[in-house]
Amino acid sequence: MQKPTATAKKYIKNHDVEAIVLPVFSDEKDDPLFQDYDILMSKQISQTLDENKFLREDNTFTLFYTNKKTKAKLIAVVGLGKKEELSLEKLRQLGGKSFSYFAEKDAQSVALPLITAKKLKDTDEAAIEKVARALTEGFLLAAYDYDQFKTKKEEKEKEKKKQKIVSMQLITFNDIDLQRSQQSIATVTAIVNNVNLVRDLINGPPSIVTPDFIAQTAKKELSNKPYTRLTIFDKKLLEKNKMNCILGVCQGSVNEPKLIIAEYTPPKYTKTVVIIGKGVTYDSGGINLKPTGYLETMKDDMSGAAVVLATIKTAAELKLPVKLIALAPCVENMPSGSAIKPGDVIVGMSGKSIEIGNTDAEGRLILSDALHYAATCKPDYIIDLATLTGACVVALGSLCSAIMSKDDTLKQAITKASKETNEKVWELPLLEEYRDDIKSDIADLKNIGAGKGEAGSITAGLFLSEFVGDCKWMHIDIAGPVWTTKGSAYTQKGATGYGLRLMIEFLQELSKKK
Ligand code: BES
Ligand code: MG
Ligand code: ZN
């Protein structure tokens, strides 16, 4: 698809667009664009709406064929219900649904008007930039399709239909809004491209997306990005740095581990943030092998790594004035004669000894080396993103991640970013009382908690906290929302790309602070 554009309303009648979306509300007058189209359509649209009031209710699409009365071939009147209940998320969904609706109807180009609102339900203010961003974001996110491995012609044709839409434009009502929308479009295009990079990496088969593949991808994606630097620790360098936890988890695999260190140092910045992403390219559980039913989606266990690498790339593209270090420890967790075993003890880079209680609790092991390394960088903040525990999915389901931190500023900032992006988070408490549960009888720590996985997400968080020193740190357990079996208005089955928009929103706000 081409890069979206924005046009001012005065040009639209002459503009070549095949399909147009006209949003209507149940409690508000229709906008001038609607009026114009209604007149061109000999008032057929308003008559239909007057006779069928329910068409203004939320999420109602009504199609009008224009029969050459307008340049556009198709008009979809979309009911959005009450204007006072309008939210950024509704706009994002409108964007996504508009894409799918017209993709099925073979339209090549689609136009959506900006909706003016003083306030949106889920945000403090409703600046036109936000509206433009949400509509475009939903539309572009919905256009994603992972079809690299489809070989059957009919299947491909069916999927291809989606790709028929080649352009999207926003219609604005004045020139200032036009300029602002163009800015939003530039930003959101970069963001969505990177969400799709995350999706591609996660959807990729695990025998292709190995630690080395992720390292090569980082190289490729960051190669021409200004102010970035990439270092890759291979097995030798990991050994030299005593990163024995990363090495240990990967020692049963034929694929060698990599620690990817990507830095972005803009000319001007006040804050430094280290972002760490769990990069288990396949989590079989190791010697504590997972059973059928749990193995099938474990290629998504590198979602954190994909998110942090795409985040640093996006930050460089958007020229965010914040220094970033992305750490992605990448390993494969496999059972074999050389694999680590329950009962083993590993001393990683931090010097703390860890007894292996369960080889399937591998994420916290590789993160411990990365967190220790991060703490030596003395950043303002450390944030890790990890598909860390099944317990998190039990607690919060597949729509929400768990945040754990002792820093109120970080918690507030991430919660705010979560509201803006609708990438949901919920806090779990790092209860000190549970710290005893990760003590070992023979080593400093053990990598599992007590009982039958009681407070499994929290004890995992407490384990990580052992390696951050006195840094301000947040752990985000993204085990639930990175993957979906259903798909929604702007996500498809499989990898959702969750986390990238959350991180960028957080960093954008942070970079505004002194
Ligand atoms: N990658 C899994 C966590 C996971 C489970 C993510 C389900 C997404 C869906 C992680 O490495 C793991 O296996 N955790 C264990 C920890 C346990 C052995 C203490 C778990 O949650 O069962
Ligand atoms: Mg595991
Ligand atoms: Zn795992």
Side-chain angles (χ1 to χ4, degrees):
M1 191 150 73
Q2 294 161 6
K3 202 172 167 194
T5 54
T7 351
K9 178 191 161 239
K10 50 185 181 260
Y11 311 120
I12 189 68
K13 276 183 229 162
N14 311 319
H15 211 277
D16 271 323
V17 67
E18 284 187 359
I20 190 151
V21 175
L22 295 178
V24 294
F25 295 93
S26 57
D27 59 351
E28 231 194 50
K29 273 214 198 124
D30 301 318
D31 67 22
L33 186 79
F34 178 97
Q35 312 281 3
D36 284 357
Y37 270 95
D38 193 34
I39 291 168
L40 288 172
M41 293 286 288
S42 324
K43 299 258 171 184
Q44 186 200 340
I45 307 178
S46 52
Q47 270 170 20
T48 307
L49 290 185
D50 289 346
E51 281 163 26
N52 304 278
K53 294 251 179 321
F54 70 92
L55 296 179
R56 291 178 174 275
E57 294 306 309
D58 196 13
N59 202 15
T60 323
F61 278 69
T62 312
L63 185 65
F64 292 87
Y65 293 95
T66 64
N67 301 325
K68 299 216 164 73
K69 284 182 181 156
T70 76
K71 272 219 161 180
K73 210 166 63 175
L74 305 167
I75 295 176
V77 172
V78 183
L80 290 176
K82 288 192 179 135
K83 182 109 175 214
E84 63 185 41
E85 300 199 340
L86 190 62
S87 63
L88 265 191
E89 176 55 12
K90 252 193 198 174
L91 293 172
R92 213 177 275 118
Q93 293 193 9
L94 172 65
K97 286 175 188 164
S98 302
F99 174 87
S100 312
Y101 188 77
F102 282 126
E104 273 185 10
K105 294 177 176 54
D106 270 355
Q108 296 255 345
S109 51
V110 179
L112 288 122
L114 277 191
I115 294 167
T116 48
K118 286 199 193 73
K119 214 177 156 294
L120 295 170
K121 240 188 151 185
D122 48 5
T123 179
D124 306 343
E125 82 244 59
I128 211 76
E129 289 91 337
K130 285 191 183 180
V131 174
R133 179 174 158 181
L135 288 170
T136 316
E137 192 165 79
F139 195 93
L140 296 180
L141 284 170
Y144 175 81
D145 192 15
Y146 189 79
D147 67 354
Q148 289 179 37
F149 291 93
K150 298 264 187 199
T151 59
K152 280 199 199 124
K153 211 169 161 267
E154 323 83 80
E155 291 267 307
K156 252 211 156 146
E157 293 286 278
K158 216 172 86 197
E159 300 280 330
K160 272 266 168 61
K161 262 202 167 167
K162 281 194 144 193
Q163 305 304 330
K164 278 223 171 117
I165 295 185
V166 288
S167 79
M168 179 239 177
Q169 56 178 285
L170 289 177
I171 305 164
T172 66
F173 294 94
N174 59 58
D175 288 339
I176 298 173
D177 288 357
L178 178 64
Q179 266 177 17
R180 289 182 176 151
S181 307
Q182 274 157 346
Q183 187 51 47
S184 280
I185 286 174
T187 308
V188 83
T189 307
I191 292 174
V192 173
N193 282 340
N194 285 298
V195 172
N196 290 344
L197 170 64
V198 173
R199 289 169 166 179
D200 275 349
L201 279 168
I202 300 171
N203 283 329
S207 293
I208 293 176
V209 185
T210 59
D212 186 56
F213 182 93
I214 298 183
Q216 297 307 326
T217 305
K219 225 184 225 168
K220 194 176 104 204
E221 298 290 337
L222 293 175
S223 66
N224 58 354
K225 298 288 169 255
Y227 310 117
T228 62
R229 200 174 78 165
L230 186 68
T231 314
I232 290 160
F233 282 10
D234 59 6
K235 197 173 171 204
K236 260 201 187 136
L237 274 172
L238 288 166
E239 279 165 0
K240 202 170 153 204
N241 284 283
K242 302 196 174 66
M243 295 181 144
N244 298 323
C245 293
I246 296 177
L247 287 159
V249 171
C250 208
Q251 80 191 27
S253 168
V254 293
N255 293 304
E256 290 199 352
K258 306 277 176 206
L259 172 63
I260 304 165
I261 304 172
E263 283 163 82
Y264 165 63
T265 315
K268 276 193 189 150
Y269 65 88
T270 49
K271 295 272 193 294
T272 301
V273 183
V274 182
I275 45 177
I276 305 177
K278 172 177 172 181
V280 177
T281 59
Y282 189 70
D283 182 13
S284 71
I287 296 298
N288 292 100
L289 191 64
K290 288 181 186 292
T292 297
Y294 293 81
L295 285 162
E296 294 74 9
T297 55
M298 276 303 135
K299 65 175 182 182
D300 77 2
D301 215 16
M302 36 55 73
S303 298
V307 170
V308 299
L309 294 172
T311 298
I312 210 158
K313 185 183 156 215
T314 316
E317 287 171 350
L318 301 181
K319 303 188 172 66
L320 295 185
V322 48
K323 180 175 164 112
L324 274 183
I325 303 171
L327 302 176
C330 295
V331 298
E332 195 182 47
N333 186 23
M334 295 294 277
S336 88
S338 59
I340 45 165
K341 313 160 186 77
D344 273 341
V345 174
I346 308 180
V347 180
M349 193 188 201
S350 71
K352 291 189 182 181
S353 60
I354 303 163
E355 181 190 0
I356 308 302
N358 189 315
T359 61
D360 200 9
E362 83 297 337
R364 64 197 77 183
L365 293 172
I366 64 168
L367 290 174
S368 74
D369 279 342
L371 286 164
H372 177 81
Y373 180 93
T376 64
C377 304
K378 298 267 172 248
D380 294 293
Y381 298 112
I382 302 175
I383 299 176
D384 76 73
L385 296 113
T387 45
L388 206 64
T389 61
C392 191
V393 192
V394 173
L396 299 175
S398 59
L399 287 178
C400 186
S401 62
I403 55 171
M404 288 166 239
S405 178
K406 291 198 171 162
D407 188 76
D408 288 334
T409 320
L410 255 185
K411 281 195 275 196
Q412 275 161 17
I414 290 291
T415 305
K416 183 157 182 275
S418 163
K419 292 216 171 98
E420 290 283 334
T421 54
N422 201 43
E423 295 202 319
K424 294 179 169 56
V425 302
W426 198 257
E427 186 186 3
L428 288 181
L430 283 170
L431 296 177
E432 280 307 319
E433 289 83 343
Y434 295 153
R435 199 177 287 276
D436 275 350
D437 294 355
I438 52 167
K439 290 207 171 123
S440 156
D441 294 334
I442 63 163
D444 301 334
L445 292 166
K446 76 174 184 301
N447 75 336
I448 49 167
K452 294 187 183 117
E454 276 170 35
S457 304
I458 296 173
T459 49
L462 287 168
F463 182 93
L464 300 180
S465 74
E466 294 279 337
F467 302 91
V468 295
D470 50 15
C471 286
K472 291 176 177 167
W473 156 77
M474 174 179 277
H475 162 52
I476 312 186
D477 193 331
I478 55 174
V482 297
W483 190 263
T484 176
T485 50
K486 290 194 205 101
S488 68
Y490 53 87
T491 61
Q492 297 71 20
K493 277 186 195 176
T496 59
Y498 176 98
L500 188 278
R501 292 189 297 118
L502 180 71
M503 281 298 104
I504 293 301
E505 179 67 32
F506 162 74
L507 293 169
Q508 278 177 324
E509 285 301 308
L510 183 73
S511 61
K512 288 183 196 158
K513 297 204 174 100
K514 289 259 158 64

